[in-house]
Amino acid sequence: MTTTTETRPFEAEVAQVLHLVTHSLYSHKEIFLRELISNASDACDKLRFESIANPDLLAGDAELHIDVSWDKDARTITIADNGIGMSRDEVVANIGSIASSGTRRFLEAMGAEQKADARLIGQFGVGFYSAFVVAGRVTVLTRRAGAAPEDGVKWESDGRGEYTLEAATVPARGTTVVLHLKDGEDEFLDGWKLRGLVRKYSDHVAFPIRMPKETPAGDDDDAKQDDAAPAWETANDASALWTRPKSEISDEEYQAFYKSLGHDFNDAAAWTHNRVEGSQSFTTLLYLAAKPPFDLMMGGRDERKGLKLYIKRVFIMDAAEELLPNYLRFVRGVVDADDLPLNVSREILQHNRQLERIKGACVKRVLDLIEKLSRDEPEKFAAFLKAFGNTLKEGIVEDAGNRERIAKLLRFASTRGDGDAQTVSLDDYVGRMAPGQEAIWYVTADGYRAAAGTPQLEAFRAKDIEVLLMSDRIDEWMLGHLHEYAGKPLRHVAKGELPLDEAGKQKQEEAAKAAAPLLEKLKRLLGDRVEDVRVSARLTDSPACLAMSEWEMAPHLAHLLREAGQDVPESKPTLEVNPAHPLLQRVDGEADDARATDLATLLLEQAQLSAGAPLADPAAFVQRMNRLLAG
Ligand code: ADP
Ligand code: MG
């Protein structure tokens, strides 16, 4: 065995994480135990998986387990596993120098949230470093499965910028992490305390977590064994929770298991646990998160975690992307399939018919679960929609097969709703449509106030027709794919022709005839700034608004897209006017062409403003307005 010790610096970002961890994480310090046990459990999972192809790796030590022990005199806590272990390169890559993408995101999130909560750390793939919350020095001894005892590695660091690496003889396969506690952390040198933490955070780890047996007298010193072979006892439940019958699992157990999946330390909002028997048997246990975990919105599409695929209780991989569509990315849980080959790869999974069926079942279960929540627990459902409603809307676009089911779950603000609260369902709307009303009317805008203030709503208000007020950015995109609901078309209040009854049509025609000279005048004054000018059936109080053709993009959206650098073709607006309005009568009566042009242009500009379109020349607009105000 070589005795040379190599000292290396941590990569800058890792050093930053360590600094944060040791200086800012004061709450829930005990999380270190959960994180290290979770790593040990991952290591056992990996070995079990690799041993399917290569049984020799288990080499006479097939019972995977995790041992937690402590030493009052040495002031150490030791977490040991007989899992996959690490080679020297792996040690360097995994816990030394290479900053994972999670490291960066952790720093960003923590930077925003000083006094960070230690429980967050595991979400970002930097859980190992939580060891330094309580330890002033950490020693890792490890040996890769299949490697010889003398090919072991010893890693050590005080978490302050550097670590050492040396070759070591490690008698058994796996990894041992020794925490040399900081002053003041002695509360963790206690069997009762540690056992409590194992139960609280790690009860559902699928491997036995063993701790030295204590005598009934409870004398702590007995925990340290005099002889070489301590008597161990298992401290956790160690069963795969999802394999037990539903009736025997308490809500607390379900919640504890949810947290043990990682990524979220809050309670889940709801869950669904099902066993399908038949030509293809599988078990699903799926949870809805109550709040968006940090990584959900930041992580983006390529790093989705939280849904674990097991085959006959052997963990295979994180397979959120293979098992659920993207719009259900707030789901966490476990799928255990009986009939897939154990040696599946990600490539195989992507084209596997059985998996397609399981995926379909997962989607159905999740939608059932959300529906049930909407029926039985309105408050939880409202909180869920607040957190994930916009994510769910992506499903309208992504999952045509379930479009109607998803639409049923959405809630919107409405002219008959409760202010800006999004509480009106499409079923509510359809249920109170006026006799003869054929469409579901909505308006989109960049914000609730803009939507509620849309001039085109006036005619609807006058006729007492409800209008849904859509103001989330994703709505426009979603509505491009949601053309009807319950057999009723969805229509934008500003788009296309307004359907009028016979009396209405006649009135409209008369108004247009009477206003013909005014319309001609406006067209002449506005010239090529407008496509057309016509009499509006949509206005009662406002002087003017923009009309859009059926397929035209809403002006506020076109504006957004242009700002985002997209090429959106310019289209000339069509101006709709209300000839009964005093401003229009002023234009009509104005003999001075310059003043009439000012007035006409202002009409166009205010219509553009309330539609959320930017003005081409704001300075000219202000001058025009001032000229008219000054008389
Ligand atoms: P994560 O577990 O999310 O990947 P961690 O910071 O907890 O992030 O661990 C970093 C990596 O270190 C793990 O992915 C794993 O490769 C390695 N590692 C940590 N502990 C062990 C262990 N007990 N056995 C084998 N590898 C380990
Ligand atoms: Mg970890």
Side-chain angles (χ1 to χ4, degrees), residues 102-242:
T103 313
R104 204 160 306 126
R105 282 193 272 126
F106 176 74
L107 287 171
E108 282 162 11
M110 292 300 132
E113 190 150 331
Q114 278 308 328
K115 277 270 190 89
D117 188 322
R119 290 177 295 179
L120 287 175
I121 192 166
Q123 294 179 25
F124 295 91
V126 291
F128 174 79
Y129 303 120
S130 67
F132 290 98
V133 173
V134 295
R137 184 159 53 94
V138 176
T139 312
V140 178
L141 280 163
T142 183
R143 181 183 134 198
R144 185 75 160 83
E150 55 278 14
D151 290 332
V153 187
K154 180 178 171 186
W155 177 100
E156 196 164 61
S157 176
D158 62 3
R160 266 185 242 152
E162 284 178 346
Y163 62 91
T164 61
L165 265 183
E166 63 189 278
T169 297
V170 178
R173 172 194 75 215
T175 303
T176 301
V177 179
V178 184
L179 309 178
H180 307 268
L181 296 189
K182 293 180 192 169
D183 287 342
E185 303 297 352
D186 290 25
E187 59 166 315
F188 294 112
L189 292 171
D190 177 77
W192 189 79
K193 167 104 186 169
L194 290 174
R195 218 174 290 270
L197 292 177
V198 166
R199 291 232 183 80
K200 178 169 174 198
Y201 289 117
S202 311
D203 207 27
H204 296 292
V205 166
F207 302 95
I209 302 171
R210 309 187 318 179
M211 296 183 70
K213 208 171 183 144
E214 288 182 87
T215 59
D219 182 351
D220 273 348
D221 283 336
D222 290 339
K224 222 186 88 195
Q225 304 294 320
D226 310 317
D227 45 303
W232 297 91
E233 63 184 357
T234 300
N236 65 327
D237 183 43
S239 76
L241 181 90
W242 64 90

Side-chain angles (χ1 to χ4, degrees), residues 35 38-39 42 122 125-128:
E35 291 303 324
S38 135
N39 285 350
D42 290 349
V126 291
F128 174 79

Side-chain angles (χ1 to χ4, degrees), residues 196-448:
L197 292 177
V198 166
R199 291 232 183 80
K200 178 169 174 198
Y201 289 117
S202 311
D203 207 27
H204 296 292
V205 166
F207 302 95
I209 302 171
R210 309 187 318 179
M211 296 183 70
K213 208 171 183 144
E214 288 182 87
T215 59
D219 182 351
D220 273 348
D221 283 336
D222 290 339
K224 222 186 88 195
Q225 304 294 320
D226 310 317
D227 45 303
W232 297 91
E233 63 184 357
T234 300
N236 65 327
D237 183 43
S239 76
L241 181 90
W242 64 90
T243 60
R244 288 166 38 195
K246 273 202 251 194
S247 56
E248 289 173 18
I249 308 175
S250 69
D251 286 2
E252 289 73 28
E253 285 178 293
Y254 275 120
Q255 292 287 16
F257 181 70
Y258 172 69
K259 287 172 202 163
S260 78
L261 291 170
H263 312 288
D264 195 359
F265 58 79
N266 300 297
D267 272 352
W271 57 86
T272 170
H273 183 186
N274 299 94
R275 168 99 191 134
V276 175
E277 305 271 4
S279 63
Q280 193 187 350
S281 302
F282 57 92
T283 302
T284 53
L285 171 54
L286 305 169
Y287 292 87
L288 297 182
K291 292 186 192 158
F294 260 105
D295 64 339
L296 176 70
M297 300 309 165
M298 298 168 81
R301 289 181 168 236
D302 22 86
E303 283 182 81
R304 286 170 49 209
K305 279 195 175 177
L307 195 62
K308 293 178 189 297
L309 174 64
Y310 285 75
I311 296 177
K312 297 188 200 71
R313 296 191 203 184
V314 176
F315 173 73
I316 304 297
M317 63 180 93
D318 272 304
E321 281 162 71
E322 287 77 11
L323 291 168
L324 278 175
N326 196 46
Y327 74 96
L328 296 179
R329 59 186 177 277
F330 43 75
V331 173
R332 302 278 180 263
V334 168
V335 171
D336 193 344
D338 293 5
D339 309 313
L340 289 170
L342 274 171
N343 59 354
V344 287
S345 66
R346 213 169 270 286
E347 289 64 42
I348 293 178
L349 281 184
Q350 271 153 7
H351 310 285
N352 183 288
R353 298 258 311 272
Q354 275 168 287
L355 206 78
E356 274 306 309
R357 231 168 292 146
I358 296 179
K359 185 173 175 176
C362 286
V363 172
K364 185 180 171 304
R365 294 290 181 206
V366 172
L367 294 179
D368 287 349
L369 181 62
I370 303 176
E371 242 165 56
K372 189 163 170 294
L373 199 66
S374 76
R375 266 199 319 270
D376 304 344
E377 298 185 81
E379 264 168 48
K380 270 196 191 171
F381 177 65
F384 168 79
L385 273 190
K386 192 157 188 269
F388 303 112
N390 282 341
T391 316
L392 199 58
K393 285 175 187 169
E394 294 172 23
I396 298 282
V397 180
E398 236 179 275
D399 188 355
N402 285 305
R403 193 163 283 158
E404 187 105 352
R405 280 199 78 182
I406 298 167
K408 200 185 200 48
L409 296 169
L410 303 176
R411 300 289 183 270
F412 305 100
S414 141
T415 50
R416 294 226 194 122
D418 176 15
D420 64 351
Q422 302 186 347
T423 52
V424 176
S425 70
L426 289 170
D427 287 334
D428 294 337
Y429 185 103
V430 171
R432 57 194 182 214
M433 274 166 67
Q437 184 184 340
E438 268 154 26
I440 298 171
W441 293 97
Y442 66 87
V443 62
T444 59
D446 196 11
Y448 168 77

Side-chain angles (χ1 to χ4, degrees), residues 39-40 43 46 81 86 94-95 125-128 175:
N39 285 350
K46 280 180 202 156
D81 65 71
M86 286 179 275
N94 296 338
I95 59 179
V126 291
F128 174 79
T175 303

